[in-house]
Amino acid sequence: MRIKHLALVGAVPLMLFSCVSSKKFKGLQSKYDSLNNAYGALQNDLKNCNGKTATLTRDKSDCDAKVAALQKQIDFLKANNTQALKQLEDMSVISSSQAESIRKSLDNLGAKDAYIQSLQAAMAHKDSLNMALVQNLKGAIGNLNDQDINIKVDKGVVYVDISDKLLFATGKYNVSARAEEVLGKVAQVLKAQPDIEFMVEGHTDNVPFRRGDLLDNWDLSVKRATAVIRILQNKYGLQPAHMAAAGRGEYVPVASNDTKEGRALNRRTRIVILPQLDQFFKLLEHK
């Protein structure tokens, strides 16, 4: 009997040691899984950043190649013009003063060409910045359905279209909780570039509307635009001086209002990233 008792007493520490080791192992395994998941996420972010960098690098290389080709054409034309003037002067077809006048005119044309090239380079730079902004917005928002949100560049302007279905209940202008999260992701990208100014536009379909304090679609579109503006200002800290709200009613449709699908597309809120015209006009001043 005493032997059994001693055997039992000896087994207890072994069981306790096994239990503690198992707990430690599970804890370490959990930490390893967390670190492994974080590593995978960082690897994915790095891959996305490398992809964006490669795209921008290709765009810059294309622009540089175009500028170099244009400069070669200008140099070639200048050389031919100088040679032609010399031949005309030698043949006494034109006088020295006339040749000098033509030469000055050609130099002015060269200056104009250089100015045009600088404008083209500035526009190419702006287009690259717009594409980078679009990529950042898409990356921040993630895999949201394209029917709910659409980000695009059109004629040098960045547009973010958010569907009525995502933002508001039918006939309402209170922003949904899910939509506030999406606006927060958009705000994060815009806040990183404090010089950006933008306008929030409300759009509706053409179905007549009147309810409570809302008189018509004009009223509804304005209320929805200002509701989004207030969230961007009050909840996410964007500067009110850099924002504007506008109601467009039913008058700027993107699809036909004759179908249910078309009307759904027309009911939207659009964030328009405004072009920085002051910088463009500064370029013009150096003409």
Side-chain angles (χ1 to χ4, degrees):
M1 186 69 178
R2 181 177 179 83
I3 294 172
K4 290 183 179 180
H5 178 70
L6 290 174
L8 181 61
V9 171
V12 169
L14 291 174
M15 292 172 63
L16 290 174
F17 176 77
S18 175
C19 180
V20 171
S21 299
S22 177
K23 286 183 179 179
K24 287 184 178 180
F25 176 77
K26 288 181 180 179
L28 291 173
Q29 183 67 41
S30 177
K31 288 183 180 179
Y32 172 78
D33 291 340
S34 299
L35 291 172
N36 196 40
N37 291 336
Y39 174 75
L42 290 173
Q43 286 288 94
N44 189 47
D45 291 343
L46 176 62
K47 183 179 179 181
N48 291 336
C49 289
N50 288 338
K52 294 175 186 177
T53 301
T55 300
L56 292 174
T57 300
R58 285 196 300 272
D59 292 343
K60 182 179 182 300
S61 298
D62 291 342
C63 290
D64 290 344
K66 290 178 182 177
V67 170
L70 289 171
Q71 187 59 52
K72 285 183 180 179
Q73 293 179 17
I74 291 171
D75 293 341
F76 176 75
L77 291 173
K78 281 183 177 179
N80 284 351
N81 288 335
T82 300
Q83 184 179 1
L85 281 173
K86 188 67 174 64
Q87 290 175 347
L88 289 173
E89 191 175 355
D90 291 343
M91 295 170 61
S92 299
V93 175
I94 58 174
S95 65
S96 297
S97 61
Q98 288 173 327
E100 183 62 25
S101 177
I102 294 173
R103 189 173 288 108
K104 287 181 179 179
S105 297
L106 291 173
D107 288 341
N108 287 335
L109 288 175
K112 294 286 185 184
D113 288 337
Y115 172 65
I116 290 172
Q117 284 187 52
S118 67
L119 285 181
Q120 289 175 333
M123 292 175 68
H125 177 65
K126 177 179 174 295
D127 289 342
S128 295
L129 291 177
N130 281 344
M131 290 306 299
L133 176 60
V134 167
Q135 291 300 323
N136 288 339
L137 286 168
K138 288 183 176 180
I141 291 169
N143 298 323
L144 200 62
N145 194 322
D146 286 343
Q147 293 180 347
D148 291 331
I149 187 164
N150 182 32
I151 303 169
K152 64 180 180 180
V153 179
D154 186 20
K155 297 178 181 177
V157 179
V158 178
Y159 297 101
V160 181
D161 285 335
I162 308 175
S163 71
D164 168 82
K165 179 181 66 174
L166 175 64
L167 282 172
F168 308 102
T170 303
K172 304 291 185 180
Y173 53 87
N174 299 317
V175 178
S176 68
R178 182 183 176 221
E180 285 193 21
E181 293 180 9
V182 174
L183 290 175
K185 294 176 180 180
V186 173
Q188 184 180 2
V189 176
L190 297 179
K191 204 170 183 179
Q193 303 189 46
D195 293 334
I196 281 182
E197 296 186 358
F198 60 92
M199 178 182 294
V200 177
E201 297 179 347
H203 295 262
T204 69
D205 57 28
N206 68 344
V207 177
F209 178 84
R210 180 167 186 164
R211 181 180 300 170
D213 60 335
L214 299 174
L215 300 178
D216 51 24
N217 281 324
W218 277 117
D219 263 359
L220 180 60
S221 64
V222 170
K223 288 283 190 182
R224 286 180 167 180
T226 54
V228 171
I229 284 284
R230 287 192 184 97
I231 288 173
L232 293 175
Q233 176 187 352
N234 298 331
K235 186 168 184 177
Y236 298 113
L238 293 184
Q239 293 298 316
H242 291 174
M243 299 186 287
R248 306 301 295 269
E250 65 201 61
Y251 300 104
V252 191
V254 293
S256 172
N257 278 304
D258 294 334
T259 65
K260 179 180 178 181
E261 293 76 15
R263 289 191 296 273
L265 290 173
N266 291 332
R267 295 191 300 270
R268 69 199 187 281
T269 297
R270 166 172 280 185
I271 299 175
V272 184
I273 312 299
L274 300 174
Q276 296 177 338
L277 294 177
D278 55 335
Q279 296 181 7
F280 183 74
F281 288 136
K282 284 180 182 177
L283 286 172
L284 294 178
E285 288 172 2
H286 293 88
K287 186 165 97 171

